[in-house]
Every structure is written in structure tokens, then in C-alpha cells.
Amino acid sequence: MVSPAWYQLPIVVAILYLVFQRQVLENSALHDTYTKDNNKTSMSCPSFTLHARTADGSCNDLDNPAMGMRLYRFGRNAPIEKTYVDEKNLLKPDPREVSNKLFKREEFIPATSINLLAAAWLQFQTHDWFDHGVNQRENPILVPLSEDDALRNRRPGVEALKVFRTVTDQTQKQNSSQDRPKTFRNTNTHWWDASQLYGSDLKTQLSLREMQDGKLKVTSGGMIPLDEKTGVEKTGFSSNWWVGLSMLHNLFTREHNVICDVLKAKYPKMTDQELFDKVRLINAAVMAKLHTVEWTPALLYNDILDVGMKANWFGLLSQLGRLGLGLEGLGSAGLGSLLGQSLPKNYLLTGIPGSTKELHGVPYSLTEEFTAVYRMHSILPDIIHLQDMNTTQRTGKTYRLKDTLFSDAFDVVEKQGMENLFYTFGVENPGALVLHNYPNTIRDLQLPETQNSEFVDMATVDVLRDRERGVPRYNELRRHLNMAPAETFQDITDDLKVAEELNETYSGDIEMVDLLVGCMAESPRPTGFAFSDTAFRLFLLMATRRFRADRFYTDYYNSATYTVEGLDWVKDATMSSVLQRHFPSLEGALRGVTNAFRPWKLQQE
Ligand SMILES: *[C@@H]1O[C@H](CO)[C@@H](O)[C@H](O)[C@H]1NC(C)=O
Ligand SMILES: *[C@@H]1O[C@H](CO)[C@@H](O)[C@H](O)[C@H]1NC(C)=O
Ligand SMILES: *[C@@H]1O[C@H](CO)[C@@H](O)[C@H](O)[C@H]1NC(C)=O
Ligand SMILES: *[C@@H]1O[C@H](CO)[C@@H](O)[C@H](O)[C@H]1NC(C)=O
């Protein structure tokens, strides 16, 4: 008899299983890429940093102020010695062939349990967390195009794809060739601090501020001003831009400015700087909360994860009635909250916000492997069908993804208006995170000058990036995540046709299957999961770590740091309430919607 998978267990057993797995990974899958002989940046933290996030992310940890700041190295989830680049297999199998054979979208495959807003949100969040910076121009990787490659027709004269390498870490001693695997640095702060909105350095941050009442700059029309050079919004992080980002950056810039008004009214003596610092903390916490209790449960749509993710924020005690223990009816006002008041703050029982900070003995950073499992470009559609919130139907007007990118994004916002765009994003589906569903638009994409101005196949780049950064391939990473490696291609997927394609592409060598390919191929998946169980294990570990390592979500999640009004603001925020605050006309469209990242109409039937 086959034993049931964890997601087939009763909720309470499944939760205990996941809590146990997370503990295993906390002890085995967090690895520091710094060595003892690294020059520790000596840095002192001025007193204002006690109750404010700094622009560059320094001084979050007062004992190790450089931890998690901008240009701090990415860590690893695989043991360091397993992260050498496999130079001789860098192009094996040919990444362009992987793109053509396994990723190419023939027909759009929708993800029907989530909406396009969830896709935009994904990118909005990853831009808060990580970026490897502008690639270096020297010594690009050349990926030859086969004679019959479609790109040869479209780009006459081009015989190879030029992929610029990730910029090297200048702080890594290039000592006696390769005694340690290569390291890379994050050009964003590693913290969940909304740096996509506020920037990851002081100069950028100051340029975005009004310098009055704590506010961010907006035009007289209430929009983020555009950068004249790039035609893209002037915000904390503006690379890889498209209309979905334009919408969310504008939304949370407005949210910032409204919170400023509320605090200013309550605390008229607060300076511009004090207001800015408090509101940044509050706004970042709003986003972290929405990601935890709404976005994640929408992508991992089952009761176990709904209870589990809400427990991360509100505590397991708030979820007692849902554990199937016969405690229904206790509700949050019952036993749970009584116990919660009398027990010491325990992150499992009462939620992570306000619990005790915990690093598990490893300085905090995001990791290469975490970055890798967030490669989810298949979520983007090639065509966006506009909908009208008055008729609740498609209007017949469509945008090609291509025409919503970079400097074209704002045109779309201006022409269509934010309300109808948010409505469209609320009711339309994004792409499913499976093979054969990679947007063709970005398999032949001309980047703007400010981003190296080459044309790229992002699917080829995605595959190569993991190899170039020494991210273990699929099976090897599973071993380090306490999961059984696949022995046959049918262990990866129950789709016989896909299993055969994998076998062919990887010439029968299961150990060569790329992480991204394995994750997209994986099936069956846990009930309701938009992505693979393998990727999920890293989420389980890292989503919790982002909170527990951060002083501002743990020891300093209090009214002295956030103000009473700030904590209440976070407590009351839902994605639906944020949208309606700034776009009251969405009220009808959002009526009955309990999770704004699931298709809105589906929740109203
Ligand atoms: C450490 O940093 C100091 C000051 O920045 C510098 O002078 C020194 O060369 C560095 N040492 C090493 C081993 O990198
Ligand atoms: C290279 O690094 C290793 C360990 O990090 C150290 O033991 C060794 O002395 C270094 N060699 C040189 C030439 O600096
Ligand atoms: C929807 O209806 C309202 C009220 O009649 C109107 O003001 C608005 O312009 C309409 N929106 C669209 C996109 O037609
Ligand atoms: C790959 O296909 C070959 C030929 O059909 C088969 O013999 C082999 O077992 C397959 N390999 C795996 C690992 O499934």
C-alpha cells in the first residue's frame, strides 16, 4: 500500500508534519556564504535605527549590522560544497533546446484558481527581496542556435544567443583558483521592507520623498512621476517593468501617503523623517501580511495551508476551531485568545509578529536556491483581455504583453484607468506554472538600453542562471530538502508524454534535470497548489525565516516602534480594503471577495 502524501492527512496531522519538516530544514538547509576570514564590515548604528528601517537595510540586527543589507551576499539552502558551478555541463543539455522543447507555449494554459493580480503581486514582492544587479558585459555565455531555430528567421545573421553573466562578487577573494564556490550579492536589501517602493540606498530613497509630512512624491494627478530617461515610474526598483507593477507601485505609494495623513493628524508634532520612518514600517508590514494570509493561501489553495499561513501571522491558537479537533465554535474570541493572553509569546501559538527573534545560528540572508524557485515567468499571459467593471464582461480590447512592458506600461494605465485595470486583473487568469506555458513574448524579447539592450530568451536565461550560480539541479536539491529524489521520469510527473520528453531532453539522465524544469513538470501536486511541492519546501522554510530573523517583525513589532495606530492599520488591512480605500468604485466588484488574489467572480457565484 502506498502511504498517503502529507496533504492527504487530517489537517492537524499535516500541520504537525509541516512544522516538523520546517524544523529539519532550519537545522540543515541554512548555509552562510561568508567565511571567518571575510572582512566584517564594521559599522555603528545611530540611535534612530532602533525604531526605524534604514534605506540600505543595515542595523536591522544590532549585533551584526551588515546582515541582510544591500550588497550582502546571498546565502545557500544546499551545503556550500554542493554549490560549485558545474562548468563542463554549463550548456548541457542545450538551454535553448530546453526552452524550445519544454517551455515553449503552444496554447495558453490558464491557472484558474488565481487571478492576474496574483501574478503582478509575485513580481512586486520578488523586487522587494532580491536582484543580482546589472549583468557584466565581459565574457558572455554563447548559446548556439540550431539551424532550424525559429529565432534565426526572426533575427537574420544571429547564430547564437548572447547571455551576459551575473556580475561577480568583488568582495570574494579570488584566492588560489576555486577553493570556495562563487558567491553573488543582492543589490536589494534582503529584508521584507518594501524596498521595491522605498529603494535600497539612501540617495534613491531621498529622491523619492516629498520631504514633507513623511510623504512620497506624486504628481498632481496622484500618480508616481515618470523618469524622463526611461519612461518608467521613479520608484525604489523599476527594472523588468510592466503594467502590473505600475498598478501595484501606484497603489502602495497612495497607501503610504494616506497612512502619513492618519499619523500626522494623531501626532502633529512628528517630523517629516519620523512620519516617513513609521509609515514605511507600517506599509511594509501591510504587504508582508497580505502576502502571508492572502497571496500564499491563494496559490496553495487548500485548508492545510490556509490554516498554516494564517497561523504564521495570527498564531495557531486563532485557528483552533479549524484543526478538526472538535473545537469548532471556539472562534478567535474563545479559548484561543484566552490562552494567547496567558501564555508567553510563542511564534507557533500566537503568530510570528511580536514573537522573539530567531536566526537559527545562521546570519540572515535570502538564498540562491530561494531565488531559483521563484522563477515563475510562465505565470504571465501573452495577451491581456480587458474587462469592464460596469458590464463585468470582456470588452473585446486586448493588449499584447509586449505592449505593456517598460515605458509602455504607464500608457496603458493612463488610457485604461487604474479601476478598470484592477478589475481586469481581479477577474482574468494568469498562466499555469507548468511546462509548455512560457510566454513567447519573453522568449524573444528586446531589452531596453538601460537593461543591457540585448534581445533575450528569458527561458534560456532562467535555465542558465541556475547553472551559472551553482544552484543544484532538481534531484540534488530535493536531497537537501529532505525529499526523496526521483528515480524515474515518471516519479517527477504522472503525465507520460511529459516524462518521455524529459527522458529525451536529458538523454535518460535524471540527475541532469534542471531545477526549474523539474518544478514545472512536477505532478500530481498537493491539492490546490499552483506550484510544486519541491518549491513549496523552500517557501515553508524561507517565508517563515523572512519574518523570524527580522527585528521589526519580532522583538520590535510593538507600538513604540509602529505606534498604536500603525499596528491597528496592519491588523485591519486586507487586499480588498486597500484597493477600495484608493478606488471606491471597486466596492461592488469586490463584494463577497474574501481573497483578492483568487478570481473575484468565482467568489461571488
Ligand atoms: C579589510 O578592510 C580594510 C578596511 O576596509 C582593508 O584595508 C583591508 O585590506 C581589508 N582586508 C582584507 C583581507 O580584505
Ligand atoms: C585561500 O583561502 C584559504 C581558506 O579560505 C586559506 O586557508 C588560504 O591561506 C588562502 N590562500 C591564499 C593564497 O590567500
Ligand atoms: C462605469 O459606470 C460609471 C457610472 O455610470 C461611469 O462613471 C464609468 O465611466 C463607467 N466606466 C466605464 C469604464 O465605462
Ligand atoms: C528513458 O527511456 C528509455 C527508452 O524508452 C527507457 O529505457 C528508460 O528506462 C527511461 N529512463 C528513465 C530514467 O525513465
Side-chain angles (χ1 to χ4, degrees):
M1 200 183 83
V2 182
S3 58
W6 64 264
Y7 50 89
Q8 294 162 330
L9 299 169
I11 293 189
V12 68
V13 186
I15 298 257
L16 289 176
Y17 171 82
L18 293 179
V19 168
F20 172 74
Q21 286 298 327
R22 185 168 68 195
Q23 272 170 6
V24 169
L25 297 182
E26 281 163 352
N27 290 319
S28 66
L30 295 173
H31 303 281
D32 190 1
T33 45
Y34 284 93
T35 57
K36 281 200 196 65
D37 60 343
N38 279 125
N39 235 347
K40 269 261 157 66
T41 319
S42 61
M43 193 181 263
S44 61
C45 296
S47 62
F48 84 87
T49 62
L50 203 57
H51 294 293
R53 291 185 183 278
T54 57
D56 63 9
S58 59
C59 298
N60 189 309
D61 187 295
L62 299 170
D63 297 327
N64 181 1
M67 185 194 295
M69 73 183 288
R70 172 175 187 269
L71 296 181
Y72 196 75
R73 282 182 195 162
F74 285 101
R76 293 283 183 177
N77 296 114
I80 302 294
E81 66 276 12
K82 301 286 182 186
T83 61
Y84 286 100
V85 179
D86 184 1
E87 292 287 356
K88 80 177 187 308
N89 288 319
L90 194 62
L91 293 179
K92 267 192 211 148
D94 182 337
R96 173 66 183 171
E97 200 179 303
V98 173
S99 167
N100 285 338
K101 278 197 184 157
L102 298 176
F103 283 114
K104 184 177 179 210
R105 176 181 280 162
E106 301 292 349
E107 195 182 339
F108 178 65
I109 308 168
T112 53
S113 62
I114 50 177
N115 60 22
L116 206 43
L117 195 56
W121 182 270
L122 165 70
Q123 204 185 11
F124 183 58
Q125 290 302 301
T126 61
H127 286 176
D128 174 350
W129 302 331
F130 49 74
D131 185 56
H132 282 72
V134 179
N135 300 318
Q136 63 186 42
R137 299 199 70 103
E138 316 86 74
N139 187 24
I141 303 169
L142 294 179
V143 182
L145 293 175
S146 66
E147 291 295 334
D148 58 352
D149 195 299
L151 260 183
R152 285 210 178 207
N153 291 330
R154 284 207 298 282
R155 309 245 176 208
V158 175
E159 289 174 9
L161 282 170
K162 201 189 283 174
V163 179
F164 292 114
R165 290 175 199 263
T166 307
V167 68
T168 54
D169 177 359
Q170 304 287 352
T171 66
Q172 187 178 30
K173 268 186 270 168
Q174 304 298 325
N175 120 349
S176 58
S177 71
Q178 298 261 313
D179 52 6
R180 294 270 296 177
K182 272 192 197 158
T183 53
F184 301 94
R185 295 191 294 166
N186 192 349
T187 55
N188 292 343
T189 74
H190 294 254
W191 305 106
W192 213 345
D193 58 0
S195 55
Q196 81 275 39
L197 218 58
Y198 300 107
S200 286
D201 64 273
L202 189 59
K203 184 162 167 270
T204 303
Q205 184 170 98
L206 288 172
S207 75
L208 303 173
R209 286 174 53 184
E210 188 69 49
M211 305 313 275
Q212 201 182 346
D213 299 342
K215 292 194 173 178
L216 292 171
K217 280 182 191 161
V218 288
T219 64
S220 56
M223 305 299 285
I224 303 174
L226 299 185
D227 183 323
E228 278 163 27
K229 263 210 303 269
T230 60
V232 166
E233 278 82 343
K234 276 196 222 165
T235 182
F237 187 90
S238 52
S239 300
N240 313 326
W241 200 252
W242 72 298
V243 63
L245 291 176
S246 186
M247 292 156 60
L248 286 170
H249 277 255
N250 270 296
L251 180 68
F252 281 93
T253 296
R254 290 179 190 204
E255 183 75 355
H256 176 99
N257 286 348
V258 165
I259 308 172
C260 288
D261 289 336
V262 170
L263 284 202
K264 170 90 179 167
K266 180 78 191 179
Y267 304 100
K269 292 212 185 77
M270 264 196 198
T271 63
D272 166 61
Q273 185 67 44
E274 286 167 333
L275 282 165
F276 174 82
D277 288 340
K278 298 268 178 252
V279 175
R280 186 220 176 132
L281 280 163
I282 298 164
N283 206 17
V286 166
M287 291 175 223
K289 178 194 175 189
L290 300 186
H291 187 86
T292 304
V293 304
E294 293 191 54
W295 185 86
T296 310
L299 267 88
L300 309 174
Y301 189 61
N302 71 41
D303 285 342
I304 300 165
L305 265 292
D306 198 51
V307 170
M309 295 311 297
K310 284 181 178 147
N312 255 11
W313 188 270
F314 301 111
L316 258 185
L317 292 178
S318 74
Q319 304 293 307
L320 272 187
R322 301 181 60 197
L323 291 177
L325 298 172
L327 300 172
E328 291 78 3
L330 285 175
S332 55
L335 183 62
S337 72
L338 271 178
L339 280 174
Q341 282 158 23
S342 55
L343 286 168
K345 278 289 212 176
N346 174 293
Y347 79 102
L348 280 176
L349 297 178
T350 52
I352 296 171
S355 67
T356 305
K357 177 173 149 166
E358 176 60 60
L359 290 171
H360 304 290
V362 182
Y364 169 77
S365 68
L366 293 175
T367 64
E368 298 296 351
E369 290 72 26
F370 179 73
T371 309
V373 295
Y374 257 110
R375 295 187 192 289
M376 295 187 171
H377 285 118
S378 304
I379 207 166
L380 290 170
D382 285 292
I383 304 282
I384 299 172
H385 295 266
L386 288 181
Q387 295 225 10
D388 180 333
M389 66 178 172
N390 289 342
T391 63
T392 73
Q393 300 299 322
R394 283 185 174 177
T395 63
K397 165 123 185 100
T398 58
Y399 274 96
R400 295 183 301 174
L401 179 62
K402 190 171 179 292
D403 299 324
T404 72
L405 301 178
F406 307 113
S407 59
D408 289 330
F410 187 71
D411 281 347
V412 182
V413 171
E414 257 198 330
K415 284 211 183 74
Q416 304 306 328
M418 296 259 274
E419 286 91 342
N420 256 335
L421 283 175
F422 272 116
Y423 182 72
T424 296
F425 275 55
V427 294
E428 286 285 333
N429 294 133
L433 294 165
V434 294
L435 292 179
H436 300 298
N437 202 28
Y438 205 97
N440 288 313
T441 306
I442 60 171
R443 291 202 328 117
D444 180 6
L445 176 69
Q446 181 71 46
L447 291 176
E449 239 167 78
T450 44
Q451 283 190 240
N452 259 340
S453 66
E454 281 295 320
F455 76 89
V456 292
D457 166 13
M458 284 306 302
T460 299
V461 174
D462 275 343
V463 168
L464 255 181
R465 282 285 171 254
D466 289 349
R467 295 184 192 170
E468 176 212 21
R469 292 175 190 160
V471 172
R473 296 204 185 195
Y474 178 74
N475 247 3
E476 183 64 13
L477 187 64
R478 277 179 68 95
R479 291 186 184 95
H480 303 303
L481 296 179
N482 202 30
M483 299 175 89
E487 283 170 20
T488 70
F489 291 98
Q490 287 174 44
D491 288 344
I492 301 180
T493 169
D494 58 0
D495 183 328
L496 293 183
K497 185 162 162 280
V498 173
E500 214 163 276
E501 286 170 349
L502 293 177
N503 192 342
E504 192 190 308
T505 307
Y506 290 95
S507 308
D509 188 351
I510 198 137
E511 293 300 318
M512 291 299 284
V513 173
D514 289 283
L515 176 62
L516 178 64
V517 170
C519 285
M520 293 294 145
E522 209 172 291
S523 75
R525 295 183 180 177
T527 322
F529 270 37
F531 55 76
S532 66
D533 197 12
T534 303
F536 167 66
R537 300 307 172 97
L538 272 180
F539 282 75
L540 182 70
L541 173 65
M542 299 304 290
T544 308
R545 181 158 167 79
R546 276 201 307 274
F547 276 129
R548 295 197 70 198
D550 189 327
R551 184 163 63 88
F552 295 105
Y553 289 122
T554 52
D555 298 342
Y556 284 70
Y557 193 77
N558 55 33
S559 55
T561 310
Y562 282 75
T563 74
V564 173
E565 293 72 21
L567 292 181
D568 282 346
W569 191 274
V570 180
K571 194 166 91 206
D572 293 341
T574 63
M575 188 62 185
S576 178
S577 73
V578 173
L579 283 167
Q580 288 179 65
R581 180 157 35 243
H582 304 286
F583 304 105
S585 61
L586 289 173
E587 196 256 323
L590 282 164
R591 203 172 296 139
V593 171
T594 53
N595 188 327
F597 298 107
R598 303 196 66 236
W600 295 356
K601 287 181 197 169
L602 212 63
Q603 297 172 71
Q604 296 167 322
E605 280 160 7

